[in-house]
Amino acid sequence: MGKTYERIDGRLRKFIEEQHLFFTATAPLAEDGHVNVSPKGLAGSFAVLDEHTVCYLDLGGSGAETIAHLRENGRITLMWCAFTGPPKIVRIHGRGVPVFRDDPRWDDLLPHFGEEFRRRTDLRAIIVVTAERVSDTCGYAVPHLDYREERPLHTQRFARETEESFAVYCEKKEHVAVSLDGLPGLPLPLPPRTS
């Protein structure tokens, strides 16, 4: 039923890139820490860099749990489910790192995303994940769901922000600089963009 792969090959890459939604899972080291699972899915906000590396944009929001967990221990799992077509689930277990706006790697990573994303004022980080284990399973229990369209609400909400107002927004949110468990989250004040 399930298989493990050495790399994100052409077939797996095609499957991943065709999905409209994926999930990220991270956790702190503390036994009583909060496990975090986040849905991601704005078209164009995810990229496969090579056979072992993927990345996605971390956009404006009310928390920064993934960033905090990655800064503490780097562990992350990404998961895609086929809601249409043959049943399938793909997981990438790996090590992740948040690349912040003032990081020298920012300018090399940003071109992997569409122009509309590169212009956004709510870019907080680019999460880069190096795969340690790539696997798939059957997905027989995943329901069929029809994709209708992207929700424009997130994009519309943050389109109202300037660089300055978005920095203020981040500083006002309780769990952006510090996670639910007290771990360092997004560095504030928000670093200016290098590009």
Side-chain angles (χ1 to χ4, degrees):
M1 300 258 292
K3 286 179 62 176
T4 302
Y5 301 88
E6 294 293 321
R7 63 189 58 83
I8 305 164
D9 65 14
R11 188 173 52 80
L12 284 175
R13 179 177 182 155
K14 183 177 186 301
F15 173 80
I16 287 170
E17 292 176 338
E18 287 175 346
Q19 304 313 305
H20 297 285
L21 172 72
F22 70 99
F23 299 91
T24 67
T26 58
L29 294 176
E31 288 182 19
D32 61 347
H34 293 82
V35 174
N36 187 65
V37 178
S38 293
K40 306 290 180 189
L42 290 176
S45 65
F46 177 86
V48 178
L49 300 179
D50 60 41
E51 293 182 328
H52 301 282
T53 316
V54 300
C55 65
Y56 67 90
L57 295 174
D58 181 84
L59 302 168
S62 58
E65 297 304 303
T66 300
I67 286 174
H69 297 160
L70 293 179
R71 291 182 73 184
E72 183 199 38
N73 61 62
R75 299 175 305 165
I76 188 167
T77 299
L78 307 179
M79 183 182 78
W80 294 262
C81 301
F83 294 109
T84 60
K88 178 182 240 160
I89 298 170
V90 171
R91 289 181 181 87
I92 294 176
H93 295 83
R95 308 295 293 177
V97 61
V99 174
F100 298 116
R101 294 157 46 134
D102 59 349
D103 188 302
R105 296 171 289 178
W106 180 270
D107 289 336
D108 293 331
L109 292 167
L110 203 54
H112 290 281
F113 305 99
E115 178 63 32
E116 68 281 1
F117 281 107
R118 295 195 299 269
R119 288 194 312 263
R120 288 180 71 132
T121 57
D122 67 325
L123 299 179
R124 301 189 313 181
I126 300 171
I127 306 299
V128 179
V129 178
T130 303
E132 294 179 336
R133 183 177 194 272
V134 180
S135 63
D136 68 6
T137 54
C138 67
Y140 290 166
V142 175
H144 284 282
L145 299 172
D146 292 326
Y147 173 79
R148 291 197 335 228
E149 62 187 13
E150 295 285 316
R151 289 183 194 260
L153 300 174
H154 188 276
T155 300
Q156 290 170 351
R157 160 61 186 91
F158 287 101
R160 298 190 307 254
E161 300 289 353
T162 64
E163 290 289 332
E164 295 78 21
S165 68
F166 181 64
V168 171
Y169 168 89
C170 289
E171 291 188 34
K172 287 182 178 179
K173 293 296 179 181
E174 181 180 7
H175 295 295
V176 169
V178 179
S179 77
L180 294 170
D181 301 309
L183 297 172
L186 189 68
L188 295 178
L190 191 65
R193 288 181 52 168
T194 58
S195 64

Coordinates of all heavy atoms in Angstrom, one line a residue, residues 22-91:
F22 N -2.5 21.9 1.2 CA -1.6 21.0 1.9 C -1.6 21.4 3.4 O -2.1 22.5 3.7 CB -0.2 20.9 1.4 CG 0.7 22.1 1.5 CD1 1.6 22.2 2.5 CD2 0.6 23.2 0.6 CE1 2.4 23.3 2.6 CE2 1.4 24.3 0.7 CZ 2.3 24.4 1.7
F23 N -1.1 20.5 4.2 CA -1.1 20.8 5.7 C 0.4 20.7 6.2 O 1.2 19.9 5.7 CB -1.9 19.7 6.4 CG -3.3 19.7 6.0 CD1 -3.8 18.9 5.0 CD2 -4.3 20.5 6.7 CE1 -5.1 18.9 4.6 CE2 -5.6 20.5 6.3 CZ -6.0 19.7 5.2
T24 N 0.7 21.6 7.2 CA 2.0 21.5 7.8 C 1.7 21.1 9.3 O 0.7 21.5 9.9 CB 2.7 22.9 7.8 OG1 1.9 23.8 8.6 CG2 2.8 23.4 6.4
A25 N 2.6 20.3 9.8 CA 2.5 19.9 11.2 C 3.9 20.1 11.9 O 4.9 19.7 11.3 CB 2.1 18.4 11.3
T26 N 3.9 20.8 13.0 CA 5.1 21.0 13.8 C 4.7 20.9 15.3 O 3.6 20.9 15.7 CB 5.7 22.4 13.6 OG1 4.7 23.4 13.9 CG2 6.1 22.6 12.1
A27 N 5.8 20.8 16.1 CA 5.5 20.7 17.6 C 6.8 21.2 18.3 O 7.9 21.0 17.8 CB 5.2 19.3 18.0
P28 N 6.6 21.7 19.5 CA 7.8 22.1 20.3 C 8.3 20.8 20.9 O 7.7 19.7 20.9 CB 7.2 23.0 21.3 CG 5.8 22.5 21.5 CD 5.3 22.1 20.1
L29 N 9.5 21.0 21.6 CA 10.1 19.8 22.2 C 9.4 19.5 23.6 O 9.4 18.4 24.0 CB 11.6 20.1 22.5 CG 12.5 20.2 21.3 CD1 13.9 20.6 21.6 CD2 12.5 18.9 20.5
A30 N 8.8 20.5 24.2 CA 8.2 20.3 25.5 C 7.0 19.3 25.4 O 6.2 19.4 24.5 CB 7.7 21.6 26.1
E31 N 7.0 18.4 26.4 CA 5.9 17.4 26.4 C 4.5 18.0 26.4 O 3.6 17.4 25.9 CB 6.1 16.4 27.5 CG 7.2 15.5 27.4 CD 7.3 14.5 28.6 OE1 6.3 14.3 29.3 OE2 8.4 13.9 28.8
D32 N 4.4 19.1 27.1 CA 3.1 19.7 27.2 C 2.9 20.8 26.2 O 1.9 21.6 26.3 CB 2.9 20.2 28.7 CG 3.9 21.3 29.1 OD1 4.9 21.4 28.3 OD2 3.7 21.9 30.1
G33 N 3.7 20.9 25.2 CA 3.6 22.0 24.2 C 2.5 21.7 23.3 O 2.0 20.6 23.1
H34 N 2.1 22.7 22.6 CA 1.0 22.6 21.6 C 1.5 22.2 20.3 O 2.3 22.8 19.7 CB 0.3 24.0 21.4 CG -0.4 24.5 22.7 ND1 0.2 25.1 23.7 CD2 -1.7 24.4 23.0 CE1 -0.7 25.4 24.6 NE2 -1.9 25.0 24.2
V35 N 0.9 21.1 19.8 CA 1.2 20.6 18.4 C 0.4 21.5 17.5 O -0.8 21.9 17.8 CB 0.7 19.1 18.2 CG1 0.8 18.7 16.8 CG2 1.5 18.2 19.2
N36 N 1.0 21.9 16.4 CA 0.4 22.8 15.4 C 0.2 22.2 14.1 O 1.1 21.6 13.5 CB 1.2 24.1 15.3 CG 0.5 25.1 14.4 OD1 -0.5 25.7 14.9 ND2 1.0 25.4 13.3
V37 N -1.0 22.3 13.5 CA -1.3 21.8 12.2 C -2.0 23.0 11.5 O -2.9 23.6 12.0 CB -2.3 20.6 12.2 CG1 -2.6 20.2 10.7 CG2 -1.7 19.4 12.9
S38 N -1.4 23.3 10.3 CA -1.9 24.5 9.6 C -2.3 24.1 8.1 O -1.5 23.4 7.5 CB -0.9 25.6 9.5 OG -0.7 26.1 10.8
P39 N -3.4 24.5 7.6 CA -3.7 24.4 6.2 C -3.0 25.5 5.4 O -3.0 26.6 5.8 CB -5.2 24.5 6.1 CG -5.6 25.4 7.3 CD -4.5 25.2 8.3
K40 N -2.5 25.1 4.2 CA -1.9 26.1 3.3 C -2.5 25.8 1.9 O -2.7 24.7 1.6 CB -0.4 25.9 3.3 CG 0.3 25.9 4.6 CD 0.3 27.3 5.2 CE 1.0 27.3 6.6 NZ 0.8 28.6 7.3
G41 N -2.6 26.9 1.1 CA -3.1 26.6 -0.2 C -3.3 27.7 -1.2 O -3.9 27.4 -2.2
L42 N -2.8 28.9 -0.9 CA -3.0 29.9 -1.9 C -2.2 29.5 -3.2 O -1.0 29.3 -3.1 CB -2.5 31.2 -1.4 CG -3.5 31.9 -0.4 CD1 -2.9 33.2 0.1 CD2 -4.8 32.1 -0.9
A43 N -2.8 29.4 -4.3 CA -2.1 28.9 -5.5 C -0.9 29.8 -5.8 O -1.0 31.1 -5.8 CB -3.1 29.0 -6.7
G44 N 0.2 29.2 -6.0 CA 1.5 30.0 -6.3 C 2.3 30.2 -5.1 O 3.4 30.8 -5.2
S45 N 1.9 29.8 -3.9 CA 2.7 30.1 -2.7 C 3.5 29.0 -2.3 O 4.2 29.0 -1.2 CB 1.7 30.5 -1.5 OG 0.9 29.4 -1.2
F46 N 3.6 27.9 -3.1 CA 4.4 26.7 -2.8 C 5.3 26.4 -4.0 O 4.9 26.6 -5.2 CB 3.5 25.5 -2.5 CG 4.3 24.2 -2.3 CD1 4.8 23.9 -1.1 CD2 4.6 23.4 -3.4 CE1 5.5 22.8 -0.8 CE2 5.3 22.2 -3.2 CZ 5.7 21.9 -1.9
A47 N 6.6 26.0 -3.8 CA 7.5 25.6 -4.9 C 8.3 24.4 -4.5 O 8.7 24.3 -3.3 CB 8.4 26.8 -5.2
V48 N 8.6 23.6 -5.5 CA 9.5 22.5 -5.3 C 10.8 23.0 -5.9 O 10.9 23.4 -7.0 CB 9.1 21.2 -6.1 CG1 10.2 20.1 -6.0 CG2 7.7 20.7 -5.6
L49 N 11.9 23.1 -5.0 CA 13.2 23.6 -5.4 C 14.0 22.6 -6.1 O 14.7 22.9 -7.1 CB 13.9 24.2 -4.2 CG 13.2 25.3 -3.5 CD1 14.0 25.8 -2.3 CD2 12.9 26.5 -4.4
D50 N 14.0 21.4 -5.6 CA 14.8 20.3 -6.2 C 14.2 19.0 -5.7 O 13.2 19.0 -5.0 CB 16.3 20.4 -6.0 CG 16.7 20.4 -4.5 OD1 16.1 19.6 -3.7 OD2 17.6 21.2 -4.1
E51 N 14.9 17.9 -5.9 CA 14.3 16.5 -5.6 C 14.3 16.3 -4.0 O 13.7 15.3 -3.6 CB 15.1 15.4 -6.2 CG 14.9 15.4 -7.8 CD 15.7 14.3 -8.4 OE1 16.8 13.9 -7.9 OE2 15.2 13.8 -9.4
H52 N 14.9 17.2 -3.3 CA 14.9 17.0 -1.8 C 14.4 18.3 -1.0 O 14.4 18.2 0.2 CB 16.3 16.6 -1.4 CG 16.8 15.4 -2.0 ND1 16.4 14.1 -1.6 CD2 17.6 15.2 -3.0 CE1 17.0 13.2 -2.3 NE2 17.7 13.8 -3.2
T53 N 14.1 19.3 -1.7 CA 13.8 20.6 -1.1 C 12.6 21.3 -1.6 O 12.4 21.4 -2.9 CB 15.0 21.6 -1.2 OG1 16.2 20.9 -1.0 CG2 14.9 22.7 -0.3
V54 N 11.7 21.7 -0.7 CA 10.5 22.5 -1.1 C 10.5 23.7 -0.3 O 11.2 23.8 0.7 CB 9.2 21.6 -0.9 CG1 9.2 20.4 -1.8 CG2 9.0 21.3 0.6
C55 N 9.6 24.7 -0.7 CA 9.4 25.9 0.2 C 8.1 26.4 -0.1 O 7.4 26.2 -1.1 CB 10.5 26.9 -0.1 SG 10.5 27.6 -1.8
Y56 N 7.6 27.2 0.9 CA 6.4 27.9 0.8 C 6.4 29.3 1.5 O 7.3 29.5 2.4 CB 5.2 27.1 1.3 CG 5.1 26.8 2.8 CD1 4.5 27.7 3.6 CD2 5.7 25.7 3.3 CE1 4.4 27.5 5.0 CE2 5.7 25.5 4.7 CZ 5.1 26.3 5.5 OH 5.0 26.1 6.9
L57 N 5.6 30.2 1.1 CA 5.5 31.5 1.7 C 4.7 31.5 3.0 O 3.7 30.9 3.1 CB 4.9 32.5 0.7 CG 5.6 32.7 -0.6 CD1 4.8 33.6 -1.5 CD2 7.0 33.4 -0.3
D58 N 5.3 32.1 4.0 CA 4.6 32.3 5.3 C 4.1 33.7 5.2 O 4.8 34.7 5.2 CB 5.6 32.2 6.4 CG 4.9 32.4 7.8 OD1 4.3 31.4 8.3 OD2 4.9 33.5 8.3
L59 N 2.8 33.8 5.1 CA 2.1 35.1 4.9 C 1.5 35.6 6.2 O 1.4 34.9 7.2 CB 1.0 34.9 3.8 CG 1.5 34.5 2.5 CD1 0.3 34.1 1.6 CD2 2.4 35.5 1.8
G60 N 1.0 36.8 6.2 CA 0.4 37.4 7.4 C -0.7 36.6 8.0 O -1.4 35.9 7.4
G61 N -0.7 36.6 9.3 CA -1.7 35.9 10.1 C -1.6 36.2 11.6 O -0.7 37.0 12.0
S62 N -2.4 35.6 12.4 CA -2.5 36.0 13.8 C -1.6 35.2 14.7 O -1.5 35.4 15.9 CB -3.9 35.8 14.3 OG -4.4 34.5 14.1
G63 N -0.8 34.2 14.1 CA 0.1 33.5 14.9 C 1.4 33.1 14.1 O 1.4 33.4 12.9
A64 N 2.3 32.5 14.8 CA 3.6 32.1 14.2 C 4.1 30.8 14.8 O 5.3 30.7 15.0 CB 4.6 33.2 14.2
E65 N 3.2 29.9 15.0 CA 3.6 28.6 15.7 C 4.6 27.8 14.8 O 5.6 27.3 15.4 CB 2.3 27.8 15.9 CG 1.4 28.4 16.9 CD 2.0 28.8 18.2 OE1 2.5 27.9 18.9 OE2 1.9 30.0 18.6
T66 N 4.4 27.7 13.5 CA 5.3 27.0 12.7 C 6.7 27.6 12.8 O 7.7 26.9 13.0 CB 4.8 26.9 11.2 OG1 3.5 26.3 11.2 CG2 5.8 26.2 10.3
I67 N 6.8 28.9 12.6 CA 8.1 29.5 12.7 C 8.7 29.3 14.1 O 9.9 28.9 14.1 CB 7.9 31.1 12.5 CG1 7.7 31.3 11.0 CG2 9.1 31.8 12.9 CD1 7.3 32.8 10.6
A68 N 8.0 29.4 15.2 CA 8.5 29.2 16.5 C 9.1 27.8 16.7 O 10.2 27.5 17.2 CB 7.5 29.5 17.6
H69 N 8.3 26.8 16.2 CA 8.7 25.4 16.3 C 10.0 25.1 15.5 O 10.9 24.4 15.9 CB 7.6 24.4 15.9 CG 6.4 24.5 16.8 ND1 5.1 24.1 16.5 CD2 6.2 25.0 18.1 CE1 4.3 24.3 17.4 NE2 4.9 24.9 18.4
L70 N 10.0 25.7 14.3 CA 11.2 25.4 13.4 C 12.4 26.1 14.0 O 13.5 25.6 13.9 CB 10.9 26.0 12.0 CG 9.8 25.2 11.2 CD1 9.6 25.8 9.8 CD2 10.1 23.7 11.1
R71 N 12.2 27.3 14.6 CA 13.4 27.9 15.2 C 13.9 27.1 16.4 O 15.1 27.1 16.7 CB 13.0 29.3 15.7 CG 12.7 30.3 14.5 CD 12.4 31.7 15.0 NE 13.6 32.3 15.5 CZ 13.6 33.5 16.0 NH1 12.5 34.2 16.1 NH2 14.7 34.1 16.5
E72 N 13.0 26.4 17.1 CA 13.4 25.6 18.3 C 14.1 24.3 17.9 O 15.1 23.9 18.4 CB 12.3 25.4 19.2 CG 12.7 24.6 20.4 CD 11.6 23.9 21.2 OE1 10.7 23.4 20.5 OE2 11.7 23.9 22.4
N73 N 13.4 23.6 16.9 CA 13.9 22.2 16.7 C 13.9 21.8 15.2 O 14.4 20.7 14.9 CB 13.0 21.2 17.5 CG 11.6 21.2 17.1 OD1 11.2 20.9 16.0 ND2 10.7 21.6 18.1
G74 N 13.3 22.5 14.3 CA 13.4 22.3 12.9 C 12.5 21.2 12.3 O 12.4 21.0 11.1
R75 N 11.8 20.4 13.2 CA 11.0 19.3 12.7 C 9.7 19.8 12.0 O 9.0 20.6 12.6 CB 10.6 18.4 13.9 CG 11.8 17.8 14.6 CD 11.4 17.0 15.8 NE 10.6 17.8 16.7 CZ 9.8 17.3 17.7 NH1 9.8 16.0 17.9 NH2 9.2 18.1 18.5
I76 N 9.4 19.2 10.9 CA 8.1 19.5 10.2 C 7.7 18.4 9.3 O 8.5 17.6 8.8 CB 8.3 20.8 9.3 CG1 7.0 21.3 8.8 CG2 9.4 20.6 8.3 CD1 7.0 22.7 8.2
T77 N 6.4 18.2 9.2 CA 5.8 17.3 8.2 C 4.8 18.1 7.3 O 4.0 18.9 7.8 CB 5.1 16.1 8.9 OG1 6.0 15.4 9.7 CG2 4.4 15.2 7.9
L78 N 4.9 17.8 6.0 CA 4.0 18.4 5.1 C 3.1 17.2 4.5 O 3.6 16.1 4.3 CB 4.7 19.1 3.9 CG 5.7 20.1 4.3 CD1 6.3 20.7 3.0 CD2 5.2 21.2 5.1
M79 N 1.8 17.5 4.3 CA 0.9 16.4 3.8 C 0.0 16.9 2.8 O -0.6 18.0 3.0 CB 0.1 15.8 5.0 CG -0.7 14.6 4.5 SD -1.7 13.9 5.9 CE -3.0 15.1 6.0
W80 N -0.1 16.2 1.7 CA -1.1 16.5 0.6 C -2.0 15.3 0.5 O -1.6 14.1 0.6 CB -0.4 16.6 -0.7 CG 0.5 17.8 -0.8 CD1 0.2 19.0 -1.3 CD2 1.9 17.9 -0.3 NE1 1.3 19.9 -1.2 CE2 2.3 19.2 -0.6 CE3 2.7 17.0 0.3 CZ2 3.6 19.6 -0.3 CZ3 4.0 17.4 0.6 CH2 4.4 18.7 0.3
C81 N -3.3 15.5 0.3 CA -4.4 14.5 0.1 C -5.0 14.7 -1.3 O -5.3 15.9 -1.6 CB -5.5 14.6 1.1 SG -4.9 14.4 2.8
A82 N -5.3 13.6 -2.0 CA -6.0 13.7 -3.2 C -7.5 13.7 -2.9 O -8.0 12.7 -2.4 CB -5.7 12.5 -4.1
F83 N -8.2 14.8 -3.1 CA -9.6 14.9 -2.9 C -10.4 14.6 -4.2 O -11.6 14.4 -4.2 CB -10.0 16.3 -2.4 CG -9.4 16.6 -1.0 CD1 -8.4 17.5 -0.9 CD2 -9.9 16.0 0.1 CE1 -7.9 17.8 0.4 CE2 -9.4 16.2 1.4 CZ -8.4 17.1 1.5
T84 N -9.6 14.6 -5.3 CA -10.2 14.1 -6.6 C -9.3 13.1 -7.2 O -8.1 13.0 -6.8 CB -10.4 15.3 -7.6 OG1 -9.1 15.9 -7.8 CG2 -11.3 16.4 -7.0
G85 N -9.7 12.3 -8.1 CA -8.9 11.4 -8.8 C -8.6 10.2 -7.9 O -9.2 9.9 -6.9
P86 N -7.5 9.4 -8.3 CA -7.2 8.2 -7.5 C -6.8 8.6 -6.0 O -6.2 9.7 -5.8 CB -5.9 7.7 -8.2 CG -6.0 8.2 -9.6 CD -6.7 9.6 -9.5
P87 N -7.2 7.8 -5.1 CA -6.9 8.1 -3.7 C -5.4 8.0 -3.4 O -4.7 7.1 -3.7 CB -7.7 7.0 -2.9 CG -7.8 5.9 -3.8 CD -7.9 6.5 -5.2
K88 N -4.9 9.1 -2.7 CA -3.5 9.1 -2.4 C -3.2 10.2 -1.4 O -3.8 11.2 -1.4 CB -2.7 9.5 -3.7 CG -1.2 9.6 -3.4 CD -0.4 9.9 -4.7 CE 0.5 8.9 -5.0 NZ 1.1 8.6 -6.2
I89 N -2.2 9.9 -0.5 CA -1.7 10.8 0.5 C -0.2 10.8 0.3 O 0.4 9.8 0.2 CB -2.1 10.5 1.9 CG1 -3.6 10.4 2.1 CG2 -1.4 11.4 2.9 CD1 -4.1 9.8 3.4
V90 N 0.4 12.0 0.3 CA 1.9 12.1 0.2 C 2.3 12.9 1.4 O 1.7 14.0 1.7 CB 2.3 12.8 -1.1 CG1 3.8 13.1 -1.0 CG2 2.0 11.9 -2.3
R91 N 3.4 12.4 2.1 CA 4.0 13.2 3.2 C 5.4 13.4 3.0 O 6.1 12.5 2.5 CB 3.8 12.4 4.5 CG 2.4 12.3 5.0 CD 2.3 11.5 6.3 NE 1.0 11.4 6.8 CZ 0.1 10.5 6.5 NH1 0.4 9.5 5.6 NH2 -1.1 10.5 7.0

